[in-house]
Amino acid sequence: MASSSSAAASQQQHETVPDDHYRVTYEEIHEQISRSARLMRDQFRPDVLVPIMGGGMIPARVLRTFLKVPSEVDSSKKRNIPIQAIGLALYEEVAGTSAESMGREVIRTQWLDEGTFKRSHHAKQPSPSGAGAAGGLLGKNILIVDEVDDTRTTLQYAYQELLADVQKGLAALDPAQRAALPPTRFAIFVVHNKHREGGKKGVLPLMAGQGEGWKLEDQKVGQDGVGEGVWYYSADETGDCWVDYPWETEDILEHNRLATLAKKLGVNTGRPPVKET
Amino acid sequence: MASSSSAAASQQQHETVPDDHYRVTYEEIHEQISRSARLMRDQFRPDVLVPIMGGGMIPARVLRTFLKVPSEVDSSKKRNIPIQAIGLALYEEVAGTSAESMGREVIRTQWLDEGTFKRSHHAKQPSPSGAGAAGGLLGKNILIVDEVDDTRTTLQYAYQELLADVQKGLAALDPAQRAALPPTRFAIFVVHNKHREGGKKGVLPLMAGQGEGWKLEDQKVGQDGVGEGVWYYSADETGDCWVDYPWETEDILEHNRLATLAKKLGVNTGRPPVKET
């Protein structure tokens, strides 16, 4: 009995987490995405998902489950909304980079597939010809997806470059084609928006006044046919901490154990600091 | 006490699963992918992942965690291997399809991004120019990733079309460029290979003799510079049953509860039928 209770005490002593990382489980992220999807279905109504690879791949795939729309072939069924992936990396993540350019610049590793997407049957109507790489995106509600909004550098790049492609595509249409299209709108979804102590490096023209009661129609649309500003959704907010995603861990059972333990101990909650008023 | 024990009995009675679906959890899939990755690291040594969207997105993102390679910038660090996503769908999954063509034909919704990938710094050396859409894939070990090998229709399409692009790209090189490249090899990874009672509709030239002891160098390479046949990896085998993936469920906690319950009851194990000898 003595040795057993001493083992229990020892067990108790060792119940600490090894670092200050905020660990999130697959299940937590799945549920968070479900809640965000409900809001986005009511508000932004995405037509196409643009995950930024690699981080956006899992959030986008889960989101798709919650963003199905009625099939146009058989209205008793639902269909998935299309996905058009883009690959972005900071220089540091790829090989063959000089030391001084690391971490400063975003590079493309995959971009919109000119041709295929706009020819695919995902389009409600065949896309206008001559619209370039963004052909399949014109007149759509485009949801850019990533796992975390940290420095905002990658998200700014993705938004600006997609916007430029869309504007170029719209400008290449003749006026009748352009008039026939609904507005093209942009939104961003991230699992976590990280409150950085030093602020964000990247800048996004967040849509002014976006709130719970907002509807798509409340967004102003510019002369170019593009909604002004970008809708912004995050499933959760975190402080300036290290977030460990389940898909990045080599030992998922240990990851989950530490996530549960941290909750029990009330540490590494990921919460942003309470604002002083 | 009587009502409490009757409630317990009633609880016991209701402990049944609602259908014969095989439910897999995120954690199980993560661990299965980890084990497969170990084998692939030893054997096929993938240079680039080509997930088939949407099913391949989550498996590919998890795989990437286990397939990191030493950084060429700083050998004390590891870097991710590149991802080049493709989008494929059976007609039935997309809108605007005539009833008679549904489910029979594979269509592309996204394909290789001509230009971006081969210009990116992922390439060990800059890719030869004039190599077309597959430029970034030439001389690489290409791992095609999907969630399930069911009818094999989509996998056959993906393999054949990527192979054709690679062969075209290699043929466009001058002999010196071609000679400088290592062989281009293909492998397929799926989370589940489903044993269909009616057999597979699609056909893949599975590499003869691929076994535990096999090395990359054991694969024959054709005159065209492409490894003969396709390596094949599945993290698990299932019978001809309905597989419910966690990312496809709207209620992840209920999904996990039913997965645990099925295990407890010893039903819906997903096991293929035992072969009669």
Side-chain angles (χ1 to χ4, degrees):
Chain A
M1 284 296 282
S3 92
S4 150
S5 93
S6 128
S10 157
Q11 176 83 20
Q12 200 77 22
Q13 272 175 7
H14 285 87
E15 283 216 323
T16 54
V17 287
D19 53 41
D20 59 0
H21 296 192
Y22 170 44
R23 289 178 174 79
V24 206
T25 66
Y26 279 116
E27 285 75 12
E28 285 164 351
I29 290 173
H30 192 100
E31 293 210 296
Q32 287 171 339
I33 290 177
S34 155
R35 283 192 292 272
S36 297
R38 205 172 306 136
L39 180 59
M40 289 189 275
R41 272 202 316 261
D42 289 345
Q43 215 169 42
F44 184 71
R45 300 199 296 269
D47 293 313
V48 51
L49 301 179
V50 181
I52 302 176
M53 299 190 289
M57 294 172 79
I58 293 184
R61 177 61 193 83
V62 176
L63 253 184
R64 200 178 73 156
T65 295
F66 295 102
L67 293 176
K68 287 180 181 170
V69 292
S71 162
E72 289 165 42
V73 185
D74 175 353
S75 62
S76 71
K77 293 185 177 169
K78 287 188 168 187
R79 70 171 173 88
N80 289 313
I81 64 172
I83 294 176
Q84 188 72 190
I86 58 174
L88 296 177
L90 294 173
Y91 261 124
E92 61 198 338
E93 293 169 11
V94 295
T97 308
S98 67
E100 62 269 26
S101 66
M102 277 169 59
R104 285 216 310 260
E105 214 175 322
V106 179
I107 59 160
R108 298 179 178 189
T109 58
Q110 181 167 9
W111 199 246
L112 302 172
D113 171 21
E114 182 160 0
T116 300
F117 182 59
K118 63 185 170 187
R119 277 196 311 272
S120 85
H121 289 239
H122 280 318
K124 285 172 190 163
Q125 63 259 8
S127 290
S129 58
L137 299 180
L138 305 185
K140 300 291 196 310
N141 297 337
I142 303 158
L143 182 62
I144 301 167
V145 181
D146 207 348
E147 61 187 8
V148 64
D149 177 358
D150 187 348
T151 65
R152 200 164 274 182
T153 310
T154 315
L155 285 168
Q156 178 187 341
Y157 180 93
Y159 167 72
Q160 281 181 345
E161 299 287 302
L162 289 169
L163 174 64
D165 278 2
V166 161
Q167 287 172 329
K168 206 171 137 195
L170 288 169
L173 300 181
D174 66 48
Q177 286 177 317
R178 202 160 44 238
L181 280 177
T184 307
R185 304 174 196 265
F186 285 93
I188 284 169
F189 171 75
V190 292
V191 181
H192 294 106
N193 177 25
K194 190 185 283 192
H195 291 247
R196 288 171 59 86
E197 279 161 26
K200 304 279 189 189
K201 281 189 215 163
V203 177
L204 288 171
L206 301 179
M207 211 180 54
Q210 177 192 342
E212 284 274 338
W214 260 63
K215 292 285 170 201
L216 205 57
E217 294 69 27
D218 296 330
Q219 184 184 22
K220 281 188 194 159
V221 178
Q223 289 287 334
D224 58 0
V226 181
E228 289 180 4
V230 59
W231 297 72
Y232 185 88
Y233 299 92
S234 69
D236 204 2
E237 311 274 309
T238 75
D240 198 351
C241 62
W242 193 284
V243 183
D244 279 357
Y245 290 97
W247 44 85
E248 189 61 38
T249 184
E250 296 205 357
D251 185 342
I252 188 66
L253 299 185
E254 178 64 3
H255 174 92
N256 283 6
R257 188 187 73 81
L258 291 175
T260 304
L261 178 57
K263 271 193 201 67
K264 190 176 143 191
L265 300 174
V267 298
N268 304 355
T269 60
R271 294 293 92 205
V274 178
K275 279 184 196 143
E276 291 175 29
T277 49
Chain B
M1 285 296 280
S3 93
S4 151
S5 91
S6 125
S10 154
Q11 176 84 18
Q12 201 79 22
Q13 273 175 8
H14 285 89
E15 284 216 323
T16 54
V17 287
D19 53 42
D20 59 0
H21 296 193
Y22 170 44
R23 289 176 176 80
V24 205
T25 67
Y26 278 115
E27 285 75 12
E28 285 164 351
I29 290 173
H30 193 100
E31 294 211 293
Q32 287 171 340
I33 289 176
S34 156
R35 285 192 291 274
S36 297
R38 206 173 304 138
L39 181 58
M40 288 189 275
R41 272 202 315 261
D42 289 346
Q43 216 169 41
F44 183 71
R45 302 200 295 270
D47 293 313
V48 52
L49 301 179
V50 181
I52 301 176
M53 299 188 291
M57 294 172 79
I58 292 183
R61 177 60 193 84
V62 176
L63 253 184
R64 201 178 72 156
T65 295
F66 295 102
L67 293 177
K68 287 179 181 170
V69 292
S71 162
E72 290 166 41
V73 184
D74 175 353
S75 62
S76 72
K77 292 186 178 169
K78 288 189 164 183
R79 70 170 173 90
N80 288 313
I81 64 172
I83 294 176
Q84 188 71 191
I86 58 175
L88 296 177
L90 293 173
Y91 261 124
E92 61 199 335
E93 293 167 13
V94 293
T97 309
S98 67
E100 63 269 27
S101 67
M102 277 168 60
R104 284 214 311 260
E105 213 174 324
V106 179
I107 58 159
R108 297 179 179 188
T109 58
Q110 181 168 9
W111 199 246
L112 303 173
D113 170 22
E114 181 160 0
T116 301
F117 183 59
K118 63 185 171 187
R119 277 196 312 272
S120 85
H121 289 237
H122 279 318
K124 286 171 192 165
Q125 63 260 8
S127 289
S129 60
L137 299 179
L138 305 185
K140 299 291 195 312
N141 296 338
I142 303 158
L143 181 61
I144 302 167
V145 181
D146 207 349
E147 63 187 6
V148 64
D149 176 0
D150 186 348
T151 65
R152 199 162 275 181
T153 310
T154 315
L155 284 169
Q156 178 186 342
Y157 180 92
Y159 167 71
Q160 281 181 345
E161 298 287 303
L162 289 170
L163 175 63
D165 279 2
V166 161
Q167 287 171 327
K168 208 171 136 195
L170 288 169
L173 301 181
D174 66 49
Q177 286 177 316
R178 201 158 45 239
L181 280 177
T184 308
R185 303 173 195 269
F186 285 93
I188 284 169
F189 170 76
V190 291
V191 181
H192 294 107
N193 177 24
K194 191 185 283 192
H195 291 248
R196 287 170 58 86
E197 279 162 26
K200 304 280 189 189
K201 280 188 215 164
V203 177
L204 288 170
L206 302 179
M207 212 180 54
Q210 179 194 341
E212 283 274 337
W214 260 62
K215 293 284 171 202
L216 204 57
E217 295 69 28
D218 295 332
Q219 184 184 22
K220 283 188 194 159
V221 177
Q223 291 287 334
D224 56 1
V226 181
E228 289 181 3
V230 59
W231 297 71
Y232 185 89
Y233 299 92
S234 69
D236 205 2
E237 311 274 309
T238 75
D240 198 350
C241 62
W242 193 283
V243 183
D244 279 356
Y245 290 98
W247 44 85
E248 190 60 39
T249 185
E250 296 205 357
D251 185 342
I252 188 66
L253 299 185
E254 178 66 4
H255 175 92
N256 283 6
R257 188 186 73 81
L258 292 175
T260 305
L261 178 58
K263 270 192 202 68
K264 189 176 146 192
L265 300 174
V267 299
N268 304 354
T269 61
R271 294 293 92 206
V274 178
K275 278 183 195 141
E276 291 174 29
T277 50

